Every structure is written in C-alpha cells, then in structure tokens.
C-alpha cells in the first residue's frame, strides 16, 4: 500500500489574528502548506511556523496564492501571466528565507484557494504558476489535484508532481471539487471525514456529490486547519489510518 502524506494549510493568520492552531496541527501532519503573505500570513508568522515545523521534522511547503488578503485568496482574479509567475516566485523566495533560518528548506509548492481551482482547467494561469516555480527552484515538487492542467504542465516542464485529495470536500463526477458556494461542498460530519480518509488512502476512490464512486488516487491528503475541531479531527484521521495499516509519511 502506498504511504499517505497528511498536509494542512498553516500560518493563516496576520498580525495578532490567528486562524489555525499551527502548533497542535504540526504534531499530526507530515507536510505544512505555509501561507506566504498574499492571502494570509506575514513575516513573523512565516518565521514562527517554519521554526515549529522544522523542529518537528514536518516538511515546509509554499502555499502560493493570488494577492488577496481581504478575500483570503478565494476571490476570482485575472492576473497577467508574467505578473503571476513573478508573484509565485516572490512568495516561494520569502518563505525560503525563514525555512533556511530554521534549518530546513521549502520542499514543495501548493496553490491556494481561487488559484488552486483556477489552474485545474486554465492552462494559461497554470503555466504561469509553473513558470514561477521554475524561476524560484526547478527541483520543487508541485502538489495539486489529479488530472489538473497544473500537474500536466508541471510534469511537462520537468517538475516533480504529487497528487492530493480532500476528505472534507465534495467531488464532482469528473474528480474536481464542488465549488464552496454550493450546498454540500464541505463535508462537515467528522465521522464521514474519517471514513473518506481511509477510503481514499486504501482504495483511491471516494463517493462523489452525486453518489457515484469515482477514482481519486493521491499521495497526499489535505486536512483543513480552519474548520471547527480541526486538530481533534486530524488526530482521529491519522490514528484511524494507522489502525488500518496505512503508513503516514511525507512525500518530499
């Protein structure tokens, strides 16, 4: 059975405001998607999360996004490709400073929010993200949705690619995420999230929003840190995976 990585979005605060319980989640996950200042996060937050992650042996990933602090990176934006590529590289570079200061390094890249969903289908925006990663470090793996334009273009460009799945998000029959604005887009029942996590890890399948069974083969499982009871749910998922004989290990 293929090992499964557990990733979570961390450092999603700004100044005195904190959204995620970074310290507790870092005791559970194997990879940390650290906000790089464009949708959340600031210099002090990035430094703190990198130090915590490095101290626990958790891999540090750059969670790049559109420049959208007010909208938490979840608003649709049209950014010229050259500008987007530069901003992706900028975010990676900023996080790398703090990762290296903590004795680690940025180990992978994952888009956030609206950018993540946009590059599933939009080849131009996906190519810009790939160009930004190549500008920063051509050895960095790209974490994204199976079958996305982003991963296809990243692989074509020579970047390592890693697929991920979401146990707490509803899927369409095509294997994409149901938009957050639609009813049932987020799976809120903790028991259901745990069962879906095991299902994804063991069989590479999940029940779509329509009720159909679809294939979602992923090396990494995202555990959202901004939901109520996120830490306890993450602990339950990891414990259940271990009980089911699934090895939990970072991909990078």
């Amino acid at each position: 059975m293929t090992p499964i990585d557990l990733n979570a979005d961390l450092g999603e605060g700004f100044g005195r405001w904190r959204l995620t319980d970074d310290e507790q989640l870092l005791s559970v996950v194997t990879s940390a998607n650290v906000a790089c200042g464009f949708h959340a996060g600031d210099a002090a937050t990035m430094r703190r999360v990198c130090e915590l992650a490095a101290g626990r042996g958790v891999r540090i990933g750059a969670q790049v996004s559109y420049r959208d602090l007010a909208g938490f990176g979840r608003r649709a934006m049209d950014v010229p490709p050259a500008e987007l590529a530069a901003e992706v590289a900028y975010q990676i570079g900023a996080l790398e400073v703090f990762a290296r200061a903590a004795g680690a390094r940025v180990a992978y890249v994952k888009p956030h929010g609206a950018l993540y969903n946009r590059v599933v289908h939009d080849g131009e925006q996906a190519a810009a993200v790939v160009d930004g990663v190549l500008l920063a470090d051509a050895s960095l793996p790209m974490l994204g949705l199976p079958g996305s334009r982003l991963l296809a273009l990243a692989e074509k460009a020579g970047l390592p690619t890693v697929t991920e799945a979401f146990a707490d998000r509803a899927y369409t029959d095509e294997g994409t995420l149901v938009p957050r604005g639609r009813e049932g887009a987020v799976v809120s029942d903790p028991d259901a999230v745990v069962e879906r996590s095991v299902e994804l890890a063991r069989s590479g399948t999940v029940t779509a929003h329509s009720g159909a069974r679809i294939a979602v083969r992923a090396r990494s499982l995202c555990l959202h840190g901004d939901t109520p009871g996120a830490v306890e749910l993450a602990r339950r998922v990891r414990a259940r995976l271990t009980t089911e004989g699934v090895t939990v290990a970072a991909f990078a």
Side-chain angles (χ1 to χ4, degrees):
M1 190 183 302
T2 302
I4 194 78
D5 169 72
L6 297 178
N7 77 77
D9 301 343
L10 301 179
E12 290 186 325
F14 194 82
R16 297 179 62 185
W17 175 73
R18 293 187 184 182
L19 177 63
T20 51
D21 189 341
D22 299 327
E23 188 165 4
Q24 293 301 315
L25 284 167
L26 283 168
S27 69
V28 181
V29 301
T30 47
S31 296
N33 317 316
V34 183
C36 299
F38 272 36
H39 76 280
D42 53 32
T45 301
M46 285 190 281
R47 181 179 184 181
R48 175 179 57 82
V49 175
C50 284
E51 289 174 346
L52 289 170
R56 289 164 171 75
V58 176
R59 303 299 187 268
I60 297 169
Q63 190 184 24
V64 299
S65 70
Y66 287 126
R67 188 189 293 269
D68 181 28
L69 274 176
F72 197 61
R74 288 180 174 165
R75 296 186 293 189
M77 303 183 75
D78 290 313
V79 180
E83 182 178 336
L84 180 57
E87 292 189 339
V88 166
Y90 178 93
Q91 292 174 78
I92 296 169
L95 187 63
E96 178 69 7
V97 169
F98 300 116
R100 288 192 177 276
R105 56 179 289 271
V106 172
Y108 65 95
V109 177
K110 174 185 173 178
H112 163 81
L115 181 59
Y116 186 98
N117 292 318
R118 180 77 171 266
V119 297
V120 171
H121 301 294
D122 190 320
E124 184 177 65
Q125 293 284 280
V129 173
V130 170
D131 287 345
V133 176
L134 291 172
L135 182 61
D137 184 344
S139 70
L140 288 175
M142 185 81 78
L143 181 61
L145 202 68
S148 64
R149 293 289 292 150
L150 175 69
L151 293 193
L153 291 172
E155 186 173 358
K156 185 177 180 180
L159 292 174
T161 59
V162 182
T163 54
E164 76 168 334
F166 299 80
D168 63 351
R169 291 294 307 277
Y171 280 84
T172 68
D173 288 356
E174 292 72 39
T176 57
L177 300 179
V178 173
R180 281 184 175 269
R182 285 181 54 186
E183 184 178 354
V186 177
V187 180
S188 56
D189 180 3
D191 291 336
V193 173
V194 173
E195 292 303 320
R196 286 163 66 89
S197 298
V198 173
E199 186 179 24
L200 285 161
R202 288 184 60 87
S203 67
T205 62
V206 72
T207 302
H209 192 256
S210 67
R213 299 281 297 170
I214 62 171
V216 181
R217 301 197 178 278
R219 174 64 176 84
S220 186
L221 184 65
C222 182
L223 304 174
H224 282 110
D226 58 350
T227 54
V231 173
E232 180 57 31
L233 180 56
R235 287 174 176 153
R236 286 186 59 191
V237 168
R238 179 155 187 168
R240 181 64 184 281
L241 289 173
T242 301
T243 299
E244 294 289 335
V246 178
T247 300
V248 177
F251 61 81

